[in-house]
Structures are given as structure tokens and as C-alpha cells.
Amino acid sequence: MSDNEMVQLKYTVIPDDYNAVGSASSDAKNKLRMVGVPPDILRKVSICMYEGEINMVIHARGGEITVNINPTNIQMILRDNGPGIADINKAMQAGFSTASEDARNLGFGAGMGLPNMKKFSDDMSVETKLGVGTTVTMVVNL
Amino acid sequence: MEETYMTIATVAELLNARILTGEAHSGLEVTSAFACDLMSDVLAYANGYKLLLSGLCNAQVIRTAEMLDMNCIIFVRGKCPDEQMIKMAASNDMVVLRTDYSMFTSSGILYQAGIKGGQM
């Protein structure tokens, strides 16, 4: 596969099967590895996307993920039509969570998702509107 | 301090653990391990580790290990992954072990044998 053939990946995240959560991140990781993204960058992208994917399932009934492979970075756009984030500053604090017991049973929902995404991405922005949805855009530099 | 290199096969022996999948990769050597039930903390702090000990037993444990390129998962407290989880681990060339020891005891045994916790 040459770089030219794959510049964008698109995924639909469906919240029905908790066991399947992470399949988009897994697929993206394999494809990015195939086009030669170095392991340390790949891990950062994987952590960001997987935390985001988990968030989409536990907070927002799923959504869409677009991964753009650019010459100098990997950009991930995670868009959902969930409830939106009421207080983004609070949501960015490590340990703050509104997650359900189900999410906690998965090993998540401890208020580390957004902080982890910020920690492992080189740039992150969150656009959110109550009752409309949330779009998280993350960039990891190559 | 000198690092202790230990094969996954030796890890299994020390923990009286059963190898559920990935025996072919059990000759792989490890020097450090991360023990945790909270997958977000594994993602946050376990970058660079090959060995994960966990008492949480669901598909997200395998996914988390996959995202971090970990080679071996040890399920403690007798937790038994289902067939789907084992398949998922096998497709990522992971070794999956199961021990009846608790998280504390498992970690203690490995630490005493020279496996370290690494840098936080």
C-alpha cells in the first residue's frame, strides 16, 4: 500500500456491543503501521483514538471517526451526536467523570479519558454543544 | 542496577500460571511489568511495558494491551478470559496467562525474582 492510496480512514462507532469497542482504533493502528508510521507515534495515536472511541460509546451512543494521514501529522476527528459536555474545564480534570457503572466495569470511566487524550496528542480541541453533540479533534505530529 | 531478563515461560512457572494462548511466543524476555485494573491508567502510564497484570477480565483489557504493543497479559485472581478474548489476543500474537494468585502476590513474586516496575 503506498501513501497515496490511503490518506483518510473513516469509521462508524456503534455502541451496541461493548466487546467490540476499540475495533476502529485497532483497524486504524494496523493500517497506519502498514504505511510505516513509527511505533512510538503509532502508540500515541492509538491511545488517543481508543480513549476517544471509548468515550463515544459510554457517553454518546457512538459516532463517526475520521483519520487523516497528512505529510507531517496524523489528525483524528471524532464526532458524535451525544448529549454534549456541560463543563469542558471540569471534564478535562483528571478524575472527573460522569460515566455509568457499565463504563467503570469496562475499566474506564475514571475521569482519565480526556486528560489522556490531551497528554498523548500534540494538539487537541473540543467543540461541544449541549443536546447537539461533541467533536474532538486531535493531532499527533509525525 | 542490572536488569533481570526473564522469559514469559519462566513468569508462568513462577506464578503457577496456565498459558491460555501464545505458547509459541513464551520465549520472549521481559524486564518490567505493570499491574492495574483501570485501563485508562494502563493507557496513561504503561507505555513501553511488555507485561500487564490485571484482575479485570473483559475484551477491553486485550484492546488496551494491543494499543500499547504489549506482549503478555496475566489474569490474576483466577479470572478466566472467554474464547473471544483469547482469539483477539492470539490474533495480536500475545501470550495470555492465568494465575490463581492475587494481584499483590503475583506482583510480589515477580518483583522478588527481579522484574521491576519501571519509571512512572
Side-chain angles (χ1 to χ4, degrees):
Chain A
M1 201 185 299
S2 81
D3 289 7
N4 294 335
E5 284 173 50
M6 195 190 72
V7 290
Q8 190 174 72
L9 304 169
K10 275 184 175 288
Y11 299 96
T12 302
V13 178
I14 302 160
D16 296 341
D17 182 2
Y18 269 14
N19 271 333
V21 188
S23 52
S25 302
S26 172
D27 186 83
K29 186 178 189 201
N30 286 331
K31 293 204 164 115
L32 292 172
R33 182 190 287 126
M34 277 195 275
V35 295
V37 175
D40 51 331
I41 307 276
L42 199 53
R43 270 202 292 272
K44 286 170 73 179
V45 171
S46 301
I47 292 168
C48 291
M49 183 165 162
Y50 181 47
E51 284 281 14
E53 192 179 346
I54 292 274
N55 270 353
M56 290 171 109
V57 169
I58 65 184
H59 295 293
R61 302 181 299 278
E64 310 259 323
I65 302 177
T66 306
V67 181
N68 292 312
I69 299 134
N70 300 316
T72 58
N73 64 46
I74 310 279
Q75 182 194 44
M76 293 159 274
I77 304 163
L78 294 81
R79 191 183 56 77
D80 69 57
N81 303 111
I85 302 168
D87 186 336
I88 185 66
N89 290 325
K90 253 188 178 171
M92 289 303 302
Q93 283 172 19
F96 177 82
S97 179
T98 59
S100 67
E101 192 59 32
D102 273 357
R104 290 169 202 269
N105 288 340
L106 286 181
F108 293 90
M112 293 302 292
L114 285 169
N116 273 356
M117 287 152 74
K118 187 156 181 71
K119 177 178 169 186
F120 288 100
S121 61
D122 293 302
D123 187 63
M124 177 170 125
S125 65
V126 183
E127 279 174 60
T128 187
K129 202 167 177 197
L130 282 181
V132 178
T134 300
T135 300
V136 179
T137 305
M138 290 176 282
V139 172
V140 173
N141 293 330
L142 283 169
Chain B
M1 201 165 44
E2 220 173 279
E3 278 188 332
T4 301
Y5 288 85
M6 189 184 291
T7 64
I8 294 174
T10 304
V11 170
E13 210 178 297
L14 285 171
L15 297 180
N16 262 329
R18 260 187 68 193
I19 301 182
L20 303 178
T21 186
E23 190 146 19
H25 309 292
S26 64
L28 192 96
E29 288 179 322
V30 296
T31 58
S32 60
F34 196 83
C36 193
D37 284 355
L38 178 60
M39 291 305 111
S40 272
D41 272 359
V42 178
L43 289 169
Y45 302 115
N47 209 341
Y49 290 79
K50 291 190 163 86
L51 197 68
L52 174 67
L53 293 99
S54 186
L56 184 73
C57 192
N58 63 48
Q60 302 315 317
V61 180
I62 315 281
R63 284 277 185 235
T64 299
E66 179 193 348
M67 294 305 146
L68 295 172
D69 301 315
M70 290 176 141
N71 306 91
C72 178
I73 303 172
I74 302 167
F75 288 102
V76 299
R77 306 194 288 272
K79 296 290 168 84
C80 195
D82 64 21
E83 217 171 293
Q84 196 190 347
M85 290 167 65
I86 290 174
K87 248 170 126 176
M88 204 190 276
S91 70
N92 285 291
D93 295 330
M94 288 175 195
V95 188
V96 177
L97 308 181
R98 177 196 181 196
T99 177
D100 286 331
Y101 289 132
S102 70
M103 183 87 104
F104 181 81
T105 304
S106 302
S107 303
I109 289 169
L110 294 182
Y111 193 87
Q112 205 165 28
I115 297 294
K116 291 291 177 267
Q119 298 295 316
M120 284 294 285

